[in-house]
Structure formats: structure tokens, C-alpha cells
Amino acid sequence: MVIWQREILTFLGLFLVVCVIGFFTKLFVPLFFLLTLFLLGRHLYQIHRFEKWLRTGGRSTYPKTTGVWEELYYHVYRIKKNNKRRKKQLSKMVDQFRQSTEALPDAAVVLNASDEIEWANKAAREVLGLKRSDKGQRIPNLIRFPEFIQYLKSKQYDEPVTVPSPVNENVTLAVRIINYGVGLRLLLAQDVTQLKQMERMRKDFVANVSHELRTPLTVIKGYIETLQDFDEGDSPLLTTSLKNMQGQTDRMQHLVDDLLLLAHLETKNKKHEVVNIPTLLKQICNENDATLELGRIQLTLDSDAYLFGEENELRSAFTNLLGNALKYSPEETTVKIRWHQTENALLLDVIDEGEGLSQSDIVRVTERFYRVEAKRTKKINGTGLGLAIVKHVLMRHDAQLIIRSEWGKGSCFQCAFPLKRLRRK
Ligand code: ADP
């Protein structure tokens, strides 16, 4: 403000001088014209200097001047200085971010909406084999595994996809994509080779142990049966002991069989074909009705659809569900089995009128060895592996196990197969 006052006062002073001289010399108009010319010239000169200073980057300190022009120079100089400082801070932050992402052990790649690489860190260059010059390239052209391309296209990035490293097939990578910003995605690839190896070792161990236990179990079972044949009932202790031993070996055999089946489901390659589900269900129901409790099973075939899958796996899953429904409901009640089709799925319902399950148990019953409250199930034989097997079989058929149950009112175990698995006769 002070600067403007001074500027106006200078102008008024000059104007007054022109008026006084003009009054005495009667040359008011030419003098006024000269004053205007002088002021215009001065400002033009300042504008020229100002433009030249800006043109050269305005980097050095501004030229010496006075009045409002000095103020103008000062403000522009200050704005430029602040911008420079902010730019420095920003580039320092970017550098730090770059350094930290370069140091990340996991590969990180930024992709745009067209799947083109915007940026990749050092680990991405090492484990994914990307080069600096690959910037702007489409990632499906560089990482060509079908599982990865399908994952990228699916836009469903909740679960990571496992693929071998393009530079070393002995390295397994878990690749996950995260959406951020507008159309941008961050691809993260983590080396899970050790984890996968441990998982494989665990699976192999369980499969081997179960397999090795089979032979001694069969031998022990054989001896128990022979001893039972010799037992003439003279010693109640011996008879009971042999009966208990037989019960326990049967239980152990079930356990070993279930463990082997689970290991098989985890490792075996899929060999799917068309399965006649109505006939399969009729067979399972007849077998169970004949060997267990006659007339308890009510089978309803509302669909004659066949399914693309593995017959033995499906047989084992359905038998487990039916077996559970019969086991965990009173003998006088009916177990309903229904095969039907809706707009979106092929469904198998196994409905019983047993005690049912609480919500907290529903979420856990498919875990291995989980048995609801030992008190209730201890009298009922079981391994706690049946529903884990069902879940695995359904997973291998892109299907889901839906459990609806109310405590005290029975349960409905529903297998929901996608329509893409539907086949006709
Ligand atoms: P199990 O060999 O014990 O039957 P499962 O994995 O088949 O093992 O089942 C796990 C647990 O789920 C069972 O122990 C039982 O408590 C509960 N369960 C399974 N099916 C039913 C059912 N139809 N009604 C009530 N409870 C059930």
C-alpha cells in the first residue's frame, strides 16, 4: 500500500511541477505530453526488463529497480523461490519412494487401463524378467501364462494367482492385482516357492503316512477277526476287548481312507467326463437304504440333467452328505434328497430333520477334523474329514457347498454347480 501511495505521490508531484511550469510558460499541453511520454517510456522499459528477466528463467536475483516495479519483481521472485523449494521437496519424496520400492523384495508393476506397463521396480525386472525398455508394453505380451492372462482379464482380483516365474520355472510366484486411482492397477508378485514346497511336503507326508498305515492296519484287522473266530465267549473280558479293538481299527481305517482321499483330491489332476447324476443318486440311495436304514431316504429327481465331472469324487461327496444326514438325525425321520435346476445353477439338496447346526458351527464344519461339540457327536462314529472331502470335491467342480441350518430344526446341505457343467443325455 505504502508503495502505491509513494507511486501516486510521485505522479502527483510531477503533475504539479508540469502545471506550475506550464502556467508560467503557457506550454502546458506540450509539457503534459512530454510527462505522459516520459512515464510511458519508463514503464515500457520496465516491462521490457521484466519480460527479459522472466524469459531467462528469472533464476538470478532480480534487477535493481524502484517503486511498484521492485514490488512486482519481489513477489514473482518469492513465488518462484517457493515453487522451487516445493519442487525440490517433491522430487526428494519421489526419490525416496523410488528407492523404497526398488528395495522391496516383492515385484511391483504399475499397469494402466490398457494393461500397459507404466513403471516397474527392480524385483519386477529380476523375477518377472521385465526390462526398463518394456515401459509401455502390454503385460500379457510379456507374461504369457494362461492362468495369469485369465486372471488379468477376469477383473476379479480378490485371490492371488500362482504362476511360475518367467525367468526361472523353479520359482513360484503368487501374483495379485490391486486397483487404484482411475484405471490404474498395481501388480504385486511374491516369491512363494518355499511356502509351496512346504505345502507339497505336508501333502506328501500325509499321503505317505496314510498309505504306510494301511498295510499294518489290514494285518491287525485280520488277526482280530481270526481271534474273534476262535473266541467262544468264555471270557467276557476277551470278547469285549476284541470287539473294542475291532471298532477302533475300523475307525482308524476310515480315518486313513479319508486322509488318503483328501490327499488324492489335493494332488490328482482332473479327469472329467459326463456323469449321469440321476442314476448315481439312485445307486447311492439304494445302497444306503439297503445297508443302513430301510425307507428313510426320499429321493426327488426334478431334473434329468447330467453333470460334467468326476463320478467317483461326486459319489464320495454325495455319500458323505447322505451319510451325515442319516447319522445326525433321529432314526424315525426322513432324509430328503432333491436334484433340481434353477436359472443359475444345478442343485443337489440333502435335507434332514436332525438337531441342526449353530451359525458358529456352520462356518467351521468343513475344516479338517472339526466335529461339533464332542459330547453330542462322540457316540456317533466319524473322522471329522467328511465335509472337508465334500468341500474339496465341489471346489474341483467349480461348485459351492451352501449350508442352511437352524439349531433343533434340521439342516439342508446344498451343492450348487454352475450351469456351465450341465450336460444333456
Ligand atoms: P464326521 O466324520 O464327524 O461326520 P464331517 O466332516 O462329515 O465329519 O462333519 C463334521 C461335523 O459336522 C460332524 O461331526 C457333525 O457334528 C456336523 N454335521 C455334519 N453333517 C451334519 C448334519 N447333517 N446335521 C448336523 N450336524 C452335522
Side-chain angles (χ1 to χ4, degrees):
M1 199 59 215
V2 183
I3 237 40
W4 277 106
Q5 276 171 1
R6 213 186 301 150
E7 198 73 9
I8 290 164
L9 279 177
T10 315
F11 173 74
L12 285 177
L14 283 169
F15 187 67
L16 206 71
V17 172
V18 165
C19 285
V20 173
I21 300 174
F23 178 77
F24 288 112
T25 57
K26 305 279 181 241
L27 289 170
F28 180 76
V29 176
L31 280 173
F32 187 71
F33 179 71
L34 270 176
L35 175 67
T36 315
L37 219 60
F38 166 72
L39 288 176
L40 198 69
R42 184 176 156 242
H43 283 300
L44 270 175
Y45 171 67
Q46 292 291 7
I47 288 171
H48 165 71
R49 281 216 307 173
F50 188 58
E51 187 269 338
K52 197 173 152 198
W53 180 68
L54 282 181
R55 191 162 16 95
T56 51
R59 258 177 257 122
S60 52
T61 44
Y62 50 89
K64 199 115 195 87
T65 182
T66 52
V68 77
W69 280 102
E70 187 177 13
E71 199 73 356
L72 269 175
Y73 273 112
Y74 170 69
H75 286 310
V76 174
Y77 178 73
R78 214 193 47 204
I79 290 169
K80 282 190 83 71
K81 216 172 154 187
N82 281 346
N83 277 347
K84 211 169 145 188
R85 209 187 55 234
R86 245 179 258 145
K87 222 166 128 185
K88 227 174 170 177
Q89 274 174 350
L90 261 172
S91 74
K92 202 172 151 195
M93 268 169 67
V94 171
D95 273 354
Q96 276 172 352
F97 172 75
R98 278 229 175 102
Q99 277 167 14
S100 56
T101 44
E102 285 290 305
L104 268 182
D106 297 344
V109 184
V110 174
L111 301 173
N112 65 17
S114 323
D115 299 335
E116 287 161 356
I117 299 171
E118 294 264 318
W119 170 87
N121 70 349
K122 191 170 153 228
R125 295 192 289 277
E126 282 166 9
V127 294
L128 294 173
L130 302 178
K131 292 188 236 65
R132 281 186 200 275
S133 54
D134 286 335
K135 197 176 166 204
Q137 295 267 11
R138 292 193 69 243
I139 195 121
N141 297 339
L142 303 168
I143 304 174
R144 291 165 173 269
F145 300 109
E147 303 93 324
F148 172 72
I149 294 177
Q150 205 182 342
Y151 176 68
L152 189 71
K153 271 193 203 153
S154 72
K155 310 253 182 247
Q156 299 288 315
Y157 304 137
D158 303 337
E159 293 291 322
V161 64
T162 313
V163 289
S165 157
V167 282
N168 182 355
E169 59 179 26
N170 296 324
V171 172
T172 309
L173 299 173
V175 179
R176 151 163 262 153
I177 294 179
I178 299 149
N179 287 313
Y180 78 97
V182 186
L184 287 176
R185 279 160 303 161
L186 179 67
L187 180 149
L188 292 172
Q190 191 184 15
D191 185 345
V192 288
T193 317
Q194 262 190 336
L195 219 75
K196 286 281 156 190
Q197 251 166 12
M198 273 164 64
E199 205 177 309
R200 209 171 303 132
M201 272 163 65
R202 186 212 25 106
K203 281 178 194 165
D204 289 350
F205 175 76
V206 174
N208 289 339
V209 168
S210 318
H211 193 76
E212 291 303 319
L213 280 174
R214 252 185 167 180
T215 321
L217 255 179
T218 318
V219 175
I220 294 171
K221 240 183 118 182
Y223 278 122
I224 293 171
E225 273 164 23
T226 316
L227 286 173
Q228 274 179 323
D229 287 343
F230 280 117
D231 178 31
E232 286 173 350
D234 301 335
S235 159
L237 178 67
L238 181 71
T239 313
T240 328
S241 304
L242 286 173
K243 204 172 162 238
N244 282 345
M245 280 158 78
Q246 191 201 24
Q248 290 303 323
T249 41
D250 279 347
R251 202 176 113 75
M252 203 150 163
Q253 191 148 31
H254 273 129
L255 198 70
V256 168
D257 287 346
D258 280 357
L259 276 173
L260 262 177
L261 181 59
L262 258 176
H264 211 57
L265 289 172
E266 282 179 330
T267 49
K268 204 177 69 170
N269 286 336
K270 291 183 201 171
K271 258 197 212 143
H272 287 183
E273 58 202 359
V274 178
V275 183
N276 182 342
I277 298 293
T279 306
L280 178 68
L281 288 174
K282 275 185 216 158
Q283 278 173 6
I284 294 171
C285 292
N286 286 339
E287 278 162 22
N288 274 278
D289 248 351
T291 52
L292 293 164
E293 23 242 294
L294 200 72
R296 278 190 66 192
I297 306 167
Q298 206 179 81
L299 173 67
T300 314
L301 295 170
D302 284 337
S303 163
D304 56 2
Y306 289 15
L307 204 71
F308 186 64
E310 227 269 41
E311 183 164 342
N312 283 334
E313 289 182 15
L314 291 171
R315 181 190 296 277
S316 144
F318 298 164
T319 308
N320 262 311
L321 288 179
L322 177 60
N324 278 351
L326 291 166
K327 263 197 307 190
Y328 298 109
S329 59
E331 281 181 15
E332 61 283 4
T333 59
T334 316
V335 169
K336 293 183 188 130
I337 300 201
R338 186 172 168 227
W339 177 238
H340 58 120
Q341 186 182 337
T342 63
E343 261 178 36
N344 318 312
L346 283 161
L347 302 169
L348 175 81
D349 298 346
V350 180
I351 305 163
D352 66 57
E353 295 164 20
E355 270 191 22
L357 290 156
S358 64
Q359 285 307 307
S360 57
D361 287 326
I362 287 178
V363 286
R364 297 203 57 193
V365 280
T366 53
E367 285 173 22
R368 279 165 207 220
F369 298 111
Y370 186 82
R371 303 199 74 209
V372 176
E373 216 192 320
K375 256 192 289 157
R376 191 158 68 86
T377 47
K378 79 172 169 200
K379 289 187 210 87
I380 303 170
N381 276 341
T383 58
L385 291 171
L387 290 178
I389 291 173
V390 174
K391 192 177 137 191
H392 256 83
V393 170
L394 294 188
M395 252 163 56
R396 282 164 68 87
H397 287 79
D398 315 309
Q400 268 185 307
L401 177 67
I402 301 159
I403 307 172
R404 289 189 208 95
S405 186
E406 223 177 297
W407 186 242
K409 288 195 181 162
S411 327
C412 171
F413 285 74
Q414 186 175 65
C415 308
F417 297 90
L419 285 187
K420 67 175 180 187
R421 293 239 160 215
L422 168 76
R423 296 291 183 277
R424 290 283 167 206
K425 277 181 227 177

